[in-house]
């Protein structure tokens, strides 16, 4: 029976943490985005986030994002500077062509920082990217 269960592989979906200018507060913010590089929309997108360090962990945050159009992105959450050094996990679940996809994206400890910034083509921002 287990052999009959198909577990589709997540492709063309990624998470990026980018640094972007906040006009309202006149400062840079770190924001997490989900990127859909598929030619079709992904639907019923849910993201559960949590951060861990050796002594602390953050609360779990659940985000229901709905549908994300093809070749686009959606903001997941603002990330506080205090959790950037943590191991940050993004558990993503969505439907694509009536199949359920699930993947955990992990930013290892101390990987979200100024030195690690690179161009994120879909977003036109610099950030840290996990595929």
């Amino acid at each position: 029976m287990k052999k009959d269960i198909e577990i589709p592989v997540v492709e063309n979906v990624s998470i990026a943490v980018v640094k972007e200018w906040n006009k309202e507060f006149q400062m840079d913010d770190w924001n997490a985005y989900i990127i859909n590089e598929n030619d079709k929309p992904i639907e019923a997108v849910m993201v559960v986030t949590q951060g861990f360090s050796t002594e602390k962990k953050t609360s779990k945050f659940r985000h229901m994002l709905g549908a994300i159009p093809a070749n686009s992105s959606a903001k997941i959450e603002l990330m506080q500077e205090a959790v950037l050094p943590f191991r940050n996990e993004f558990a993503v679940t969505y439907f694509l062509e009536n199949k359920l996809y699930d993947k955990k994206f992990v930013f290892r400890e101390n990987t979200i920082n100024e030195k690690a910034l690179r161009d994120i083509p879909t977003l036109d921002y610099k950030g840290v990217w996990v595929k």
Side-chain angles (χ1 to χ4, degrees), residues 37-103:
E37 294 180 298
N38 289 292
D39 292 332
K40 296 185 179 182
I42 56 177
E43 299 172 331
V45 179
M46 188 169 80
V47 182
V48 179
T49 64
Q50 189 167 23
F52 301 91
S53 74
T54 52
E55 301 90 27
K56 299 178 182 179
K57 69 178 179 177
T58 67
S59 298
K60 282 187 180 179
F61 291 99
R62 292 166 181 84
H63 306 276
M64 187 63 193
L65 302 177
I68 300 174
N71 298 306
S72 68
S73 62
K75 187 183 288 188
I76 300 170
E77 66 183 9
L78 168 72
M79 295 187 67
Q80 297 293 323
E81 296 253 352
V83 302
L84 296 180
F86 288 18
R87 176 177 166 221
N88 289 284
E89 296 181 354
F90 294 79
V92 177
T93 305
Y94 63 91
F95 283 93
L96 176 63
E97 296 182 327
N98 293 321
K99 287 185 183 177
L100 179 67
Y101 290 79
D102 183 56
K103 182 174 180 178

Side-chain angles (χ1 to χ4, degrees), residues 22-26:
N22 183 326
K23 291 178 188 176
E24 183 179 348
F25 293 106
Q26 296 293 303

